Amino acid sequence: MSDAASIALITALSTLAGAGITSWLSLLTNRHQFGHQERLTNRERDEARRDQYRTSRKEAYVQFIDQAVRTAHAIGAMVKPEARVSEEAYLDAAAQADDRLAELWPLLALVTIEGPSEVADLADRAASALMAEGAKAGKFHRHPDSKAEFVAASRVRWQAQRDFARAARDTVAIPAQPGGSELPAPPPSPELAA
């Protein structure tokens, strides 16, 4: 074989080898980019699902807190520590407190479904504390010397509501990512790690 033919053969083989290596590197790069895009898409979909779930929980928690506050105000209207409430005003306030408490139960069930169990337990404790406070308000109306029992029940209810609100807030809070990034950095590609 002549020198010119050898050089042409070597040049052709080099060109083919270069094209093969370039194609192989292009394939690896495209596979890496596709995998990275797929991971980002999955993360975004998962984050959207978590946001929807977080929003659902938050709405349930806010509704429960709002109704608990309305119920507590209705119970407070049953008694006026600075003045004696008439029997008619007491009965109207007690009926309203019963209505508010009845509106609380479906919201308690909603919080129980949304969870988690720690928050559901605190919501149950707040609802029970409202019932106890209502009973002590009725007793205080009939027996003014039982004011201390009513005040103690009010404090227990207030603490139960605060505990629930704190746990609810912690549950729906968005955890901070290190470095202020919304999404964590993608893991290294297995092709590049090898």
Side-chain angles (χ1 to χ4, degrees):
M1 194 183 295
S2 74
D3 287 340
S6 296
I7 291 174
L9 181 61
I10 291 172
T11 301
L13 290 175
S14 296
T15 301
L16 285 174
I21 290 172
T22 301
S23 295
W24 181 71
L25 288 175
S26 178
L27 176 68
L28 285 178
T29 301
N30 286 340
R31 192 183 324 165
H32 171 71
Q33 288 175 345
F34 178 75
H36 179 71
Q37 186 62 39
E38 187 177 19
R39 284 188 299 275
L40 284 177
T41 301
N42 288 341
R43 265 194 224 120
E44 288 171 0
R45 185 175 40 244
D46 290 346
E47 187 62 32
R49 197 175 298 134
R50 279 191 296 272
D51 284 346
Q52 183 179 11
Y53 190 58
R54 186 181 298 119
T55 300
S56 176
R57 274 186 168 173
K58 183 178 179 180
E59 289 173 4
Y61 297 164
V62 168
Q63 289 176 20
F64 179 82
I65 291 169
D66 181 54
Q67 190 61 37
V69 169
R70 290 172 190 256
T71 304
H73 283 297
I75 291 169
M78 292 168 59
V79 294
K80 301 284 186 202
E82 67 280 349
R84 185 87 173 129
V85 176
S86 71
E87 188 64 24
E88 184 179 332
Y90 165 76
L91 292 174
D92 287 343
Q96 186 177 23
D98 284 343
D99 291 345
R100 296 280 191 220
L101 198 56
E103 294 168 3
L104 187 68
W105 300 124
L107 299 174
L108 175 61
L110 184 60
V111 169
T112 301
I113 290 169
E114 289 293 336
S117 59
E118 297 82 21
V119 175
D121 291 345
L122 290 170
D124 188 51
R125 191 178 315 158
S128 296
L130 281 162
M131 283 181 46
E133 183 181 21
K136 296 298 181 184
K139 182 177 179 182
F140 178 37
H141 173 74
R142 288 183 295 284
H143 307 286
D145 58 331
S146 65
K147 178 180 178 180
E149 293 176 41
F150 171 70
V151 170
S154 294
R155 286 184 180 142
V156 168
R157 185 261 314 152
W158 176 247
Q159 187 61 50
Q161 281 180 274
R162 290 183 70 200
D163 291 344
F164 171 78
R166 178 191 37 75
R169 185 175 48 250
D170 292 347
T171 299
V172 298
I174 298 173
Q177 295 292 329
S181 172
E182 292 274 334
L183 294 173
S189 172
E191 296 87 12
L192 297 178

